[in-house]
Every structure is written in C-alpha cells, then in structure tokens.
Amino acid sequence: MSRIVVLHVGVAKTGTTYLQTLLFQNRRALADAGILYPGDRPVDQYVAALDLRGLADEPRYAARRAAGRWESLTAQVRAHPGRALLSHETMARCSPEQIERALSSFGDSQVQVVVTARDLGRQVQAVWQEMVKNQSTLGYEDLLQAVFTRPNQPRGRYFWQAQRIDRVVARWAKAAGADQVTVVTVPRSGTDRSVLWHRFRESTGLPDLDYELDVPAANPSLGRAETELLRRVNMAVPADFDWRTYEREVKFGFAGKVLGELAGSSRIGVPDRWHPQVVERAEQIRAGLVASGCRVVGDLDELLPVVADLTGEPPEAVREQQMDLAGRLIFDSLLPSPAPLPRLLDRVRWRLGRAARALYRAIRRS
C-alpha cells in the first residue's frame, strides 16, 4: 500500500488553530504510532504553505524566509514510511496550479484532503474580526456590502475564495478525486470543542491514542466593541509600518493580551437586512457539497445558520461599549504598577496608554 498523506487545508475560522495546537502538542504520541506531523515549530507548516502559495517574496512575509520551505517540509514526508498529516488553512486559497504542485510533492503517495467548515452566519463575522487583527481598517458594514452585493470585486472575491466551501472542495476534488476529499462540519455554538477534535480524528484516520486534549484557548475571539477599537488603532497605524512589529505589538500584544482579556462586549452579529442573503448562500454551499459526492463527517445541516442566533447588538449599544472599553484601558494605563516592570514593559504600557487616550478622543468625535 502506498503512503497516505492527509492535507487539512482549512478553512480559516473553523477551529483550525485549536486542531493544529492539538496535533503539535501530541506529535510525539503520533510519531510513536508511526504518524508524522512534520516541522519542528508550530509555525513551520504555515511558512511552508506560504511558499506553496507563492507568497515567499511578499514584503509582509519576507522575514519568514519561506522560500524553499514547502520542499523541505514535504521531503520529510517523502522520507517517512508511514502516514503523514499537514495542516494549514491558507491552503484553502490554493489555485488549481498550486493544488497540482501540492499533490505532486508526495510522489506516489495517496493524498487525502480534509476541509473543516462552519456555518456562514458565524463565518462572516469571524472573517471580519480576523481581517482587523491583521491590520485591516475595513468596517464591518463595508465587508457585508462587498460580500453580498459585490462578490466579484476584489473584497468579495477574497472572502468567497475560501468561504464558498463547495468551491474549495471542487478545486481539490478535481485534482485529488472526490472520493479523497472529506468535509468536517464544525458543531453548533455551545458544543464542547472536543467534538470537533473527535470528528477531525475520524476524518484523518488518526488512531485512538491517549491524546493530551487540555490546550489553552488560542486566537481568542473579540466582541464587536473590541474589534471596532482595534480597527481604530489600525487607522492610526502608518501604511508602511513594519508588519512583524505590528504582529508582535498590536495583533498578539494589544489585541491578544489586552483586548482578549477585556473581551466582554456583545458578540458580532449579522444585521437583519442581511439574513436572507446569509441563509441563501449557506443553502447554496450545502447543496454544492451534497452534489460533490465527498465524504462528510458531522452533519451538513450544521452549515445552515440559525436565524435567531444571527442578530447582535445595535450600533448605538456597541458605541457605548466602545466608550466603556476606552475608559477601562485609560484607567488601567494610569494605575501605578505594584512592582517595578522591565523597561520594555514600561514602554509598552506607556504606548498603550497613549493609544487608549487617542481612541477615547476619536470615539467622542465620531
């Protein structure tokens, strides 16, 4: 029997960080069972996927030194006699040519493809939040307009390239074969997250081992007010600001550690006027997946939004929450530290305080 390689290609915001954290944390147990999860660091498969997608020379990713990393990672797979598993959500955006390159990288191996999918009612808001975490200044309503009224223009195309799950499946199935593609549905909101892991394990053929399932929450979600505050920070960031500095100080520092801990405002809903479009397109995606003939682990009905769960807080309530958040940030930044902090943390605290006061003034003027 030929070697089996499983490619988990996304999509983003479907529990991928959680799954990848579990896989990396359990890679020794997997290796003992003859299964390779290649790479020495959690970021290695992401960097290799950047190379696969031809993004190695993009200024934002230059510091990752991605050139040649796909080949070096897949060489580890080719040298391994057993099953191997790779996972990164950016592969959902692969073009047909990039998919062909990916599949041909594994020689005569049997390549199986796994796509994790979540209902569109939760995805549209999650994608906006992730865009803002990555320095976007696009407003939520602007994204909704682009997605549902201008799907063939750049912003709309960017969204649907990964979020039309049926088309993602079709691209990979055309090259790998529909019988080699599995869709894993993300359970409804409120379900224990381990359910997703067990579905994923079934879809990838991972054995029943004594997995360590206790992992910290990664990439925490922000509420509407926190995300809007972060968007306002982005509006003050110069266009040529160094990406690695932004990633460290703003994305993982301010958004992840400061706003993530403060998060308590209303979740990001979908305004009523967009409900019919969300439902219609979710039904199209489900129908496309049924027609594809691909294997499904979970229930495709979980991809249909629950309309009653779509609506969030009205804009005026969000604005009040923004004011409250800005006030809390300012208050915290002005508090004397109970113990001396290293010089670096002092500078970060000072910068956050200055940013918070600027945000407060901006909100009052808006």
PDB file of all heavy atoms in Angstrom, residues 112-149:
ATOM      1  N   GLN A 112      -5.059  12.419   0.750  1.00  0.00           N
ATOM      2  CA  GLN A 112      -6.427  12.651   1.185  1.00  0.00           C
ATOM      3  C   GLN A 112      -6.548  14.089   1.667  1.00  0.00           C
ATOM      4  O   GLN A 112      -5.629  14.614   2.292  1.00  0.00           O
ATOM      5  CB  GLN A 112      -6.807  11.674   2.297  1.00  0.00           C
ATOM      6  CG  GLN A 112      -6.708  10.219   1.882  1.00  0.00           C
ATOM      7  CD  GLN A 112      -6.939   9.260   3.037  1.00  0.00           C
ATOM      8  OE1 GLN A 112      -7.041   9.654   4.197  1.00  0.00           O
ATOM      9  NE2 GLN A 112      -7.021   7.973   2.722  1.00  0.00           N
ATOM     10  N   VAL A 113      -7.670  14.717   1.373  1.00  0.00           N
ATOM     11  CA  VAL A 113      -7.870  16.132   1.685  1.00  0.00           C
ATOM     12  C   VAL A 113      -9.017  16.278   2.672  1.00  0.00           C
ATOM     13  O   VAL A 113     -10.080  15.661   2.491  1.00  0.00           O
ATOM     14  CB  VAL A 113      -8.159  16.939   0.407  1.00  0.00           C
ATOM     15  CG1 VAL A 113      -8.388  18.417   0.742  1.00  0.00           C
ATOM     16  CG2 VAL A 113      -7.020  16.781  -0.593  1.00  0.00           C
ATOM     17  N   VAL A 114      -8.800  17.084   3.707  1.00  0.00           N
ATOM     18  CA  VAL A 114      -9.832  17.348   4.708  1.00  0.00           C
ATOM     19  C   VAL A 114     -10.112  18.846   4.732  1.00  0.00           C
ATOM     20  O   VAL A 114      -9.192  19.666   4.774  1.00  0.00           O
ATOM     21  CB  VAL A 114      -9.388  16.872   6.105  1.00  0.00           C
ATOM     22  CG1 VAL A 114     -10.401  17.300   7.168  1.00  0.00           C
ATOM     23  CG2 VAL A 114      -9.223  15.357   6.114  1.00  0.00           C
ATOM     24  N   VAL A 115     -11.400  19.197   4.702  1.00  0.00           N
ATOM     25  CA  VAL A 115     -11.836  20.593   4.764  1.00  0.00           C
ATOM     26  C   VAL A 115     -12.778  20.737   5.959  1.00  0.00           C
ATOM     27  O   VAL A 115     -13.789  20.032   6.045  1.00  0.00           O
ATOM     28  CB  VAL A 115     -12.580  21.013   3.480  1.00  0.00           C
ATOM     29  CG1 VAL A 115     -13.011  22.477   3.562  1.00  0.00           C
ATOM     30  CG2 VAL A 115     -11.712  20.771   2.249  1.00  0.00           C
ATOM     31  N   THR A 116     -12.425  21.609   6.901  1.00  0.00           N
ATOM     32  CA  THR A 116     -13.331  21.888   8.009  1.00  0.00           C
ATOM     33  C   THR A 116     -14.205  23.077   7.636  1.00  0.00           C
ATOM     34  O   THR A 116     -13.730  24.047   7.040  1.00  0.00           O
ATOM     35  CB  THR A 116     -12.552  22.171   9.309  1.00  0.00           C
ATOM     36  OG1 THR A 116     -11.414  23.009   9.024  1.00  0.00           O
ATOM     37  CG2 THR A 116     -12.060  20.894   9.939  1.00  0.00           C
ATOM     38  N   ALA A 117     -15.491  23.014   7.985  1.00  0.00           N
ATOM     39  CA  ALA A 117     -16.462  24.026   7.538  1.00  0.00           C
ATOM     40  C   ALA A 117     -17.396  24.409   8.680  1.00  0.00           C
ATOM     41  O   ALA A 117     -17.789  23.564   9.492  1.00  0.00           O
ATOM     42  CB  ALA A 117     -17.272  23.476   6.364  1.00  0.00           C
ATOM     43  N   ARG A 118     -17.753  25.685   8.710  1.00  0.00           N
ATOM     44  CA  ARG A 118     -18.657  26.205   9.740  1.00  0.00           C
ATOM     45  C   ARG A 118     -19.742  27.037   9.074  1.00  0.00           C
ATOM     46  O   ARG A 118     -19.558  27.535   7.966  1.00  0.00           O
ATOM     47  CB  ARG A 118     -17.863  27.062  10.738  1.00  0.00           C
ATOM     48  CG  ARG A 118     -18.650  27.493  11.952  1.00  0.00           C
ATOM     49  CD  ARG A 118     -17.763  28.089  13.025  1.00  0.00           C
ATOM     50  NE  ARG A 118     -17.232  29.392  12.669  1.00  0.00           N
ATOM     51  CZ  ARG A 118     -16.831  30.308  13.545  1.00  0.00           C
ATOM     52  NH1 ARG A 118     -16.884  30.042  14.848  1.00  0.00           N
ATOM     53  NH2 ARG A 118     -16.339  31.463  13.150  1.00  0.00           N
ATOM     54  N   ASP A 119     -20.858  27.214   9.758  1.00  0.00           N
ATOM     55  CA  ASP A 119     -21.971  27.904   9.110  1.00  0.00           C
ATOM     56  C   ASP A 119     -21.635  29.362   8.815  1.00  0.00           C
ATOM     57  O   ASP A 119     -20.907  30.022   9.557  1.00  0.00           O
ATOM     58  CB  ASP A 119     -23.260  27.774   9.940  1.00  0.00           C
ATOM     59  CG  ASP A 119     -23.391  28.785  11.068  1.00  0.00           C
ATOM     60  OD1 ASP A 119     -23.642  29.960  10.776  1.00  0.00           O
ATOM     61  OD2 ASP A 119     -23.250  28.396  12.237  1.00  0.00           O
ATOM     62  N   LEU A 120     -22.153  29.838   7.697  1.00  0.00           N
ATOM     63  CA  LEU A 120     -21.813  31.160   7.173  1.00  0.00           C
ATOM     64  C   LEU A 120     -22.200  32.274   8.126  1.00  0.00           C
ATOM     65  O   LEU A 120     -21.549  33.320   8.173  1.00  0.00           O
ATOM     66  CB  LEU A 120     -22.493  31.356   5.815  1.00  0.00           C
ATOM     67  CG  LEU A 120     -22.087  32.586   5.022  1.00  0.00           C
ATOM     68  CD1 LEU A 120     -20.606  32.578   4.708  1.00  0.00           C
ATOM     69  CD2 LEU A 120     -22.911  32.659   3.727  1.00  0.00           C
ATOM     70  N   GLY A 121     -23.264  32.057   8.906  1.00  0.00           N
ATOM     71  CA  GLY A 121     -23.687  33.081   9.862  1.00  0.00           C
ATOM     72  C   GLY A 121     -22.638  33.397  10.899  1.00  0.00           C
ATOM     73  O   GLY A 121     -22.568  34.516  11.414  1.00  0.00           O
ATOM     74  N   ARG A 122     -21.797  32.434  11.232  1.00  0.00           N
ATOM     75  CA  ARG A 122     -20.689  32.682  12.157  1.00  0.00           C
ATOM     76  C   ARG A 122     -19.404  33.055  11.425  1.00  0.00           C
ATOM     77  O   ARG A 122     -18.555  33.763  11.968  1.00  0.00           O
ATOM     78  CB  ARG A 122     -20.441  31.442  13.024  1.00  0.00           C
ATOM     79  CG  ARG A 122     -21.525  31.208  14.071  1.00  0.00           C
ATOM     80  CD  ARG A 122     -21.135  30.129  15.067  1.00  0.00           C
ATOM     81  NE  ARG A 122     -21.225  28.795  14.507  1.00  0.00           N
ATOM     82  CZ  ARG A 122     -20.721  27.706  15.092  1.00  0.00           C
ATOM     83  NH1 ARG A 122     -20.049  27.820  16.232  1.00  0.00           N
ATOM     84  NH2 ARG A 122     -20.869  26.519  14.550  1.00  0.00           N
ATOM     85  N   GLN A 123     -19.270  32.601  10.187  1.00  0.00           N
ATOM     86  CA  GLN A 123     -18.032  32.844   9.456  1.00  0.00           C
ATOM     87  C   GLN A 123     -17.855  34.298   9.050  1.00  0.00           C
ATOM     88  O   GLN A 123     -16.756  34.841   9.124  1.00  0.00           O
ATOM     89  CB  GLN A 123     -17.983  31.955   8.208  1.00  0.00           C
ATOM     90  CG  GLN A 123     -17.598  30.514   8.487  1.00  0.00           C
ATOM     91  CD  GLN A 123     -16.207  30.373   9.074  1.00  0.00           C
ATOM     92  OE1 GLN A 123     -16.023  30.396  10.300  1.00  0.00           O
ATOM     93  NE2 GLN A 123     -15.214  30.238   8.228  1.00  0.00           N
ATOM     94  N   VAL A 124     -18.919  34.949   8.588  1.00  0.00           N
ATOM     95  CA  VAL A 124     -18.754  36.301   8.048  1.00  0.00           C
ATOM     96  C   VAL A 124     -18.233  37.250   9.117  1.00  0.00           C
ATOM     97  O   VAL A 124     -17.363  38.082   8.860  1.00  0.00           O
ATOM     98  CB  VAL A 124     -20.084  36.803   7.421  1.00  0.00           C
ATOM     99  CG1 VAL A 124     -21.171  36.971   8.462  1.00  0.00           C
ATOM    100  CG2 VAL A 124     -19.854  38.111   6.670  1.00  0.00           C
ATOM    101  N   GLN A 125     -18.730  37.120  10.330  1.00  0.00           N
ATOM    102  CA  GLN A 125     -18.267  37.995  11.404  1.00  0.00           C
ATOM    103  C   GLN A 125     -16.854  37.615  11.858  1.00  0.00           C
ATOM    104  O   GLN A 125     -16.039  38.481  12.184  1.00  0.00           O
ATOM    105  CB  GLN A 125     -19.240  37.927  12.581  1.00  0.00           C
ATOM    106  CG  GLN A 125     -19.575  36.528  13.028  1.00  0.00           C
ATOM    107  CD  GLN A 125     -20.819  36.442  13.874  1.00  0.00           C
ATOM    108  OE1 GLN A 125     -20.731  36.589  15.079  1.00  0.00           O
ATOM    109  NE2 GLN A 125     -21.967  36.207  13.285  1.00  0.00           N
ATOM    110  N   ALA A 126     -16.567  36.306  11.862  1.00  0.00           N
ATOM    111  CA  ALA A 126     -15.237  35.852  12.280  1.00  0.00           C
ATOM    112  C   ALA A 126     -14.165  36.290  11.289  1.00  0.00           C
ATOM    113  O   ALA A 126     -13.051  36.653  11.680  1.00  0.00           O
ATOM    114  CB  ALA A 126     -15.234  34.334  12.433  1.00  0.00           C
ATOM    115  N   VAL A 127     -14.493  36.254  10.002  1.00  0.00           N
ATOM    116  CA  VAL A 127     -13.533  36.683   8.988  1.00  0.00           C
ATOM    117  C   VAL A 127     -13.244  38.177   9.129  1.00  0.00           C
ATOM    118  O   VAL A 127     -12.090  38.608   9.030  1.00  0.00           O
ATOM    119  CB  VAL A 127     -14.049  36.353   7.575  1.00  0.00           C
ATOM    120  CG1 VAL A 127     -13.180  37.021   6.509  1.00  0.00           C
ATOM    121  CG2 VAL A 127     -14.074  34.839   7.358  1.00  0.00           C
ATOM    122  N   TRP A 128     -14.280  38.990   9.368  1.00  0.00           N
ATOM    123  CA  TRP A 128     -14.051  40.434   9.564  1.00  0.00           C
ATOM    124  C   TRP A 128     -13.125  40.661  10.757  1.00  0.00           C
ATOM    125  O   TRP A 128     -12.170  41.435  10.677  1.00  0.00           O
ATOM    126  CB  TRP A 128     -15.369  41.165   9.793  1.00  0.00           C
ATOM    127  CG  TRP A 128     -15.172  42.617  10.105  1.00  0.00           C
ATOM    128  CD1 TRP A 128     -14.661  43.576   9.271  1.00  0.00           C
ATOM    129  CD2 TRP A 128     -15.452  43.286  11.354  1.00  0.00           C
ATOM    130  NE1 TRP A 128     -14.614  44.803   9.917  1.00  0.00           N
ATOM    131  CE2 TRP A 128     -15.091  44.646  11.190  1.00  0.00           C
ATOM    132  CE3 TRP A 128     -15.984  42.866  12.570  1.00  0.00           C
ATOM    133  CZ2 TRP A 128     -15.242  45.580  12.207  1.00  0.00           C
ATOM    134  CZ3 TRP A 128     -16.137  43.801  13.594  1.00  0.00           C
ATOM    135  CH2 TRP A 128     -15.766  45.145  13.405  1.00  0.00           C
ATOM    136  N   GLN A 129     -13.393  39.975  11.848  1.00  0.00           N
ATOM    137  CA  GLN A 129     -12.552  40.131  13.030  1.00  0.00           C
ATOM    138  C   GLN A 129     -11.109  39.755  12.731  1.00  0.00           C
ATOM    139  O   GLN A 129     -10.176  40.454  13.128  1.00  0.00           O
ATOM    140  CB  GLN A 129     -13.092  39.246  14.159  1.00  0.00           C
ATOM    141  CG  GLN A 129     -12.270  39.308  15.422  1.00  0.00           C
ATOM    142  CD  GLN A 129     -12.762  38.316  16.458  1.00  0.00           C
ATOM    143  OE1 GLN A 129     -11.957  37.730  17.171  1.00  0.00           O
ATOM    144  NE2 GLN A 129     -14.058  38.103  16.556  1.00  0.00           N
ATOM    145  N   GLU A 130     -10.897  38.662  11.987  1.00  0.00           N
ATOM    146  CA  GLU A 130      -9.541  38.228  11.672  1.00  0.00           C
ATOM    147  C   GLU A 130      -8.856  39.221  10.733  1.00  0.00           C
ATOM    148  O   GLU A 130      -7.651  39.457  10.844  1.00  0.00           O
ATOM    149  CB  GLU A 130      -9.564  36.835  11.052  1.00  0.00           C
ATOM    150  CG  GLU A 130      -8.238  36.119  11.082  1.00  0.00           C
ATOM    151  CD  GLU A 130      -7.728  35.837  12.483  1.00  0.00           C
ATOM    152  OE1 GLU A 130      -8.541  35.809  13.443  1.00  0.00           O
ATOM    153  OE2 GLU A 130      -6.500  35.637  12.630  1.00  0.00           O
ATOM    154  N   MET A 131      -9.606  39.802   9.803  1.00  0.00           N
ATOM    155  CA  MET A 131      -9.034  40.818   8.930  1.00  0.00           C
ATOM    156  C   MET A 131      -8.553  42.010   9.746  1.00  0.00           C
ATOM    157  O   MET A 131      -7.451  42.532   9.522  1.00  0.00           O
ATOM    158  CB  MET A 131     -10.081  41.263   7.900  1.00  0.00           C
ATOM    159  CG  MET A 131     -10.425  40.221   6.857  1.00  0.00           C
ATOM    160  SD  MET A 131     -11.840  40.707   5.826  1.00  0.00           S
ATOM    161  CE  MET A 131     -11.156  42.149   4.967  1.00  0.00           C
ATOM    162  N   VAL A 132      -9.355  42.435  10.716  1.00  0.00           N
ATOM    163  CA  VAL A 132      -8.974  43.573  11.554  1.00  0.00           C
ATOM    164  C   VAL A 132      -7.747  43.218  12.394  1.00  0.00           C
ATOM    165  O   VAL A 132      -6.849  44.045  12.593  1.00  0.00           O
ATOM    166  CB  VAL A 132     -10.159  44.006  12.437  1.00  0.00           C
ATOM    167  CG1 VAL A 132      -9.729  45.087  13.435  1.00  0.00           C
ATOM    168  CG2 VAL A 132     -11.296  44.541  11.571  1.00  0.00           C
ATOM    169  N   LYS A 133      -7.669  41.995  12.865  1.00  0.00           N
ATOM    170  CA  LYS A 133      -6.482  41.562  13.626  1.00  0.00           C
ATOM    171  C   LYS A 133      -5.228  41.584  12.763  1.00  0.00           C
ATOM    172  O   LYS A 133      -4.112  41.584  13.287  1.00  0.00           O
ATOM    173  CB  LYS A 133      -6.688  40.146  14.173  1.00  0.00           C
ATOM    174  CG  LYS A 133      -7.616  40.060  15.366  1.00  0.00           C
ATOM    175  CD  LYS A 133      -7.677  38.622  15.852  1.00  0.00           C
ATOM    176  CE  LYS A 133      -8.568  38.463  17.059  1.00  0.00           C
ATOM    177  NZ  LYS A 133      -8.642  37.059  17.521  1.00  0.00           N
ATOM    178  N   ASN A 134      -5.423  41.575  11.457  1.00  0.00           N
ATOM    179  CA  ASN A 134      -4.282  41.585  10.543  1.00  0.00           C
ATOM    180  C   ASN A 134      -4.141  42.933   9.843  1.00  0.00           C
ATOM    181  O   ASN A 134      -3.753  43.001   8.690  1.00  0.00           O
ATOM    182  CB  ASN A 134      -4.411  40.438   9.540  1.00  0.00           C
ATOM    183  CG  ASN A 134      -4.083  39.102  10.167  1.00  0.00           C
ATOM    184  OD1 ASN A 134      -2.926  38.749  10.314  1.00  0.00           O
ATOM    185  ND2 ASN A 134      -5.109  38.368  10.570  1.00  0.00           N
ATOM    186  N   GLN A 135      -4.497  44.003  10.553  1.00  0.00           N
ATOM    187  CA  GLN A 135      -4.217  45.385  10.182  1.00  0.00           C
ATOM    188  C   GLN A 135      -5.237  46.003   9.221  1.00  0.00           C
ATOM    189  O   GLN A 135      -5.040  47.104   8.734  1.00  0.00           O
ATOM    190  CB  GLN A 135      -2.798  45.531   9.600  1.00  0.00           C
ATOM    191  CG  GLN A 135      -2.193  46.910   9.811  1.00  0.00           C
ATOM    192  CD  GLN A 135      -0.736  46.979   9.391  1.00  0.00           C
ATOM    193  OE1 GLN A 135      -0.058  45.968   9.239  1.00  0.00           O
ATOM    194  NE2 GLN A 135      -0.225  48.197   9.205  1.00  0.00           N
ATOM    195  N   SER A 136      -6.342  45.328   8.942  1.00  0.00           N
ATOM    196  CA  SER A 136      -7.355  45.909   8.068  1.00  0.00           C
ATOM    197  C   SER A 136      -8.080  47.054   8.773  1.00  0.00           C
ATOM    198  O   SER A 136      -8.290  47.025   9.988  1.00  0.00           O
ATOM    199  CB  SER A 136      -8.376  44.845   7.652  1.00  0.00           C
ATOM    200  OG  SER A 136      -9.440  45.432   6.918  1.00  0.00           O
ATOM    201  N   THR A 137      -8.482  48.047   8.003  1.00  0.00           N
ATOM    202  CA  THR A 137      -9.303  49.150   8.515  1.00  0.00           C
ATOM    203  C   THR A 137     -10.716  49.087   7.942  1.00  0.00           C
ATOM    204  O   THR A 137     -11.495  50.023   8.110  1.00  0.00           O
ATOM    205  CB  THR A 137      -8.664  50.506   8.162  1.00  0.00           C
ATOM    206  OG1 THR A 137      -8.576  50.620   6.732  1.00  0.00           O
ATOM    207  CG2 THR A 137      -7.277  50.640   8.773  1.00  0.00           C
ATOM    208  N   LEU A 138     -11.055  47.995   7.291  1.00  0.00           N
ATOM    209  CA  LEU A 138     -12.364  47.858   6.660  1.00  0.00           C
ATOM    210  C   LEU A 138     -13.461  47.722   7.714  1.00  0.00           C
ATOM    211  O   LEU A 138     -13.367  46.888   8.621  1.00  0.00           O
ATOM    212  CB  LEU A 138     -12.372  46.619   5.757  1.00  0.00           C
ATOM    213  CG  LEU A 138     -13.647  46.360   4.946  1.00  0.00           C
ATOM    214  CD1 LEU A 138     -13.827  47.431   3.878  1.00  0.00           C
ATOM    215  CD2 LEU A 138     -13.592  44.972   4.312  1.00  0.00           C
ATOM    216  N   GLY A 139     -14.506  48.540   7.604  1.00  0.00           N
ATOM    217  CA  GLY A 139     -15.622  48.461   8.531  1.00  0.00           C
ATOM    218  C   GLY A 139     -16.468  47.219   8.295  1.00  0.00           C
ATOM    219  O   GLY A 139     -16.485  46.655   7.191  1.00  0.00           O
ATOM    220  N   TYR A 140     -17.179  46.791   9.327  1.00  0.00           N
ATOM    221  CA  TYR A 140     -17.981  45.572   9.225  1.00  0.00           C
ATOM    222  C   TYR A 140     -19.071  45.708   8.169  1.00  0.00           C
ATOM    223  O   TYR A 140     -19.270  44.823   7.338  1.00  0.00           O
ATOM    224  CB  TYR A 140     -18.582  45.263  10.592  1.00  0.00           C
ATOM    225  CG  TYR A 140     -19.350  43.970  10.666  1.00  0.00           C
ATOM    226  CD1 TYR A 140     -18.903  42.818  10.029  1.00  0.00           C
ATOM    227  CD2 TYR A 140     -20.532  43.886  11.404  1.00  0.00           C
ATOM    228  CE1 TYR A 140     -19.597  41.628  10.116  1.00  0.00           C
ATOM    229  CE2 TYR A 140     -21.233  42.703  11.505  1.00  0.00           C
ATOM    230  CZ  TYR A 140     -20.768  41.571  10.854  1.00  0.00           C
ATOM    231  OH  TYR A 140     -21.464  40.391  10.939  1.00  0.00           O
ATOM    232  N   GLU A 141     -19.765  46.819   8.168  1.00  0.00           N
ATOM    233  CA  GLU A 141     -20.815  47.018   7.171  1.00  0.00           C
ATOM    234  C   GLU A 141     -20.229  47.062   5.762  1.00  0.00           C
ATOM    235  O   GLU A 141     -20.849  46.561   4.811  1.00  0.00           O
ATOM    236  CB  GLU A 141     -21.578  48.310   7.466  1.00  0.00           C
ATOM    237  CG  GLU A 141     -22.734  48.604   6.517  1.00  0.00           C
ATOM    238  CD  GLU A 141     -23.836  47.549   6.551  1.00  0.00           C
ATOM    239  OE1 GLU A 141     -24.037  46.926   7.612  1.00  0.00           O
ATOM    240  OE2 GLU A 141     -24.489  47.347   5.506  1.00  0.00           O
ATOM    241  N   ASP A 142     -19.044  47.632   5.616  1.00  0.00           N
ATOM    242  CA  ASP A 142     -18.388  47.657   4.298  1.00  0.00           C
ATOM    243  C   ASP A 142     -18.083  46.239   3.817  1.00  0.00           C
ATOM    244  O   ASP A 142     -18.217  45.936   2.626  1.00  0.00           O
ATOM    245  CB  ASP A 142     -17.095  48.473   4.363  1.00  0.00           C
ATOM    246  CG  ASP A 142     -17.360  49.950   4.615  1.00  0.00           C
ATOM    247  OD1 ASP A 142     -18.424  50.438   4.186  1.00  0.00           O
ATOM    248  OD2 ASP A 142     -16.512  50.609   5.235  1.00  0.00           O
ATOM    249  N   LEU A 143     -17.659  45.381   4.733  1.00  0.00           N
ATOM    250  CA  LEU A 143     -17.404  43.993   4.346  1.00  0.00           C
ATOM    251  C   LEU A 143     -18.693  43.305   3.921  1.00  0.00           C
ATOM    252  O   LEU A 143     -18.730  42.602   2.904  1.00  0.00           O
ATOM    253  CB  LEU A 143     -16.761  43.220   5.497  1.00  0.00           C
ATOM    254  CG  LEU A 143     -16.540  41.721   5.209  1.00  0.00           C
ATOM    255  CD1 LEU A 143     -15.530  41.527   4.078  1.00  0.00           C
ATOM    256  CD2 LEU A 143     -16.106  40.974   6.458  1.00  0.00           C
ATOM    257  N   LEU A 144     -19.757  43.497   4.682  1.00  0.00           N
ATOM    258  CA  LEU A 144     -21.037  42.873   4.332  1.00  0.00           C
ATOM    259  C   LEU A 144     -21.509  43.327   2.957  1.00  0.00           C
ATOM    260  O   LEU A 144     -21.994  42.520   2.156  1.00  0.00           O
ATOM    261  CB  LEU A 144     -22.084  43.204   5.397  1.00  0.00           C
ATOM    262  CG  LEU A 144     -21.855  42.572   6.781  1.00  0.00           C
ATOM    263  CD1 LEU A 144     -22.818  43.176   7.796  1.00  0.00           C
ATOM    264  CD2 LEU A 144     -22.012  41.067   6.730  1.00  0.00           C
ATOM    265  N   GLN A 145     -21.363  44.617   2.690  1.00  0.00           N
ATOM    266  CA  GLN A 145     -21.741  45.141   1.381  1.00  0.00           C
ATOM    267  C   GLN A 145     -20.922  44.471   0.281  1.00  0.00           C
ATOM    268  O   GLN A 145     -21.463  44.069  -0.757  1.00  0.00           O
ATOM    269  CB  GLN A 145     -21.513  46.656   1.345  1.00  0.00           C
ATOM    270  CG  GLN A 145     -22.490  47.472   2.169  1.00  0.00           C
ATOM    271  CD  GLN A 145     -23.820  47.691   1.452  1.00  0.00           C
ATOM    272  OE1 GLN A 145     -23.983  47.320   0.288  1.00  0.00           O
ATOM    273  NE2 GLN A 145     -24.764  48.303   2.148  1.00  0.00           N
ATOM    274  N   ALA A 146     -19.628  44.353   0.498  1.00  0.00           N
ATOM    275  CA  ALA A 146     -18.759  43.754  -0.515  1.00  0.00           C
ATOM    276  C   ALA A 146     -19.088  42.285  -0.734  1.00  0.00           C
ATOM    277  O   ALA A 146     -19.161  41.810  -1.876  1.00  0.00           O
ATOM    278  CB  ALA A 146     -17.291  43.906  -0.092  1.00  0.00           C
ATOM    279  N   VAL A 147     -19.319  41.563   0.352  1.00  0.00           N
ATOM    280  CA  VAL A 147     -19.565  40.124   0.268  1.00  0.00           C
ATOM    281  C   VAL A 147     -20.882  39.813  -0.432  1.00  0.00           C
ATOM    282  O   VAL A 147     -20.949  38.911  -1.281  1.00  0.00           O
ATOM    283  CB  VAL A 147     -19.543  39.512   1.687  1.00  0.00           C
ATOM    284  CG1 VAL A 147     -20.143  38.115   1.697  1.00  0.00           C
ATOM    285  CG2 VAL A 147     -18.111  39.488   2.226  1.00  0.00           C
ATOM    286  N   PHE A 148     -21.927  40.565  -0.107  1.00  0.00           N
ATOM    287  CA  PHE A 148     -23.258  40.197  -0.591  1.00  0.00           C
ATOM    288  C   PHE A 148     -23.764  41.016  -1.776  1.00  0.00           C
ATOM    289  O   PHE A 148     -24.732  40.611  -2.420  1.00  0.00           O
ATOM    290  CB  PHE A 148     -24.263  40.276   0.562  1.00  0.00           C
ATOM    291  CG  PHE A 148     -23.999  39.262   1.635  1.00  0.00           C
ATOM    292  CD1 PHE A 148     -23.642  39.662   2.917  1.00  0.00           C
ATOM    293  CD2 PHE A 148     -24.061  37.912   1.370  1.00  0.00           C
ATOM    294  CE1 PHE A 148     -23.378  38.731   3.908  1.00  0.00           C
ATOM    295  CE2 PHE A 148     -23.804  36.968   2.348  1.00  0.00           C
ATOM    296  CZ  PHE A 148     -23.458  37.378   3.628  1.00  0.00           C
ATOM    297  N   THR A 149     -23.123  42.126  -2.072  1.00  0.00           N
ATOM    298  CA  THR A 149     -23.580  42.903  -3.230  1.00  0.00           C
ATOM    299  C   THR A 149     -22.514  43.029  -4.312  1.00  0.00           C
ATOM    300  O   THR A 149     -22.841  43.333  -5.452  1.00  0.00           O
ATOM    301  CB  THR A 149     -24.026  44.326  -2.811  1.00  0.00           C
ATOM    302  OG1 THR A 149     -22.900  45.081  -2.366  1.00  0.00           O
ATOM    303  CG2 THR A 149     -25.078  44.264  -1.709  1.00  0.00           C
TER     304      THR A 149
END
